[in-house]
Amino acid sequence: MPDIDHCAEAVRLRALLTAIISGDGVQQARFGEDEVRYFQADKTELKQAIAYHEGLCSGKRRRFAARGKFRPY
């Protein structure tokens, strides 16, 4: 996914999470004979996606590898 703007994606997902939490999500909508259904999103996975995109946006490393040390005993 090299073409993704991670900062913009984090903002978009955060707005989506806010809409879900506030109850603005539409469950079902009808327009004449056409019907559209929206389903509840998984909030934990959405929060993980937000954290992923915010991490790539900031450019900071969050995890570091443990270094081995020489112990001559």
Side-chain angles (χ1 to χ4, degrees):
M1 296 189 285
D3 297 350
I4 294 176
D5 180 14
H6 293 285
C7 297
E9 186 68 13
V11 170
R12 185 185 73 81
L13 290 174
R14 178 125 354 243
L16 182 61
L17 180 64
T18 303
I20 290 171
I21 290 172
S22 66
D24 291 338
V26 177
Q27 294 290 332
Q28 183 176 359
R30 259 190 190 189
F31 302 102
E33 294 180 9
D34 297 333
E35 181 178 339
V36 179
R37 292 184 184 180
Y38 297 94
F39 298 102
Q40 287 285 336
D42 187 8
K43 293 176 191 170
T44 57
E45 292 213 13
L46 188 56
K47 288 178 184 178
Q48 289 175 352
I50 291 169
Y52 170 75
H53 288 291
E54 285 178 345
L56 289 177
C57 177
S58 68
K60 295 181 182 177
R61 287 178 33 184
R62 293 178 52 160
R63 297 185 63 170
F64 297 91
R67 292 182 6 188
K69 295 182 180 179
F70 178 70
R71 296 183 185 179
Y73 53 90

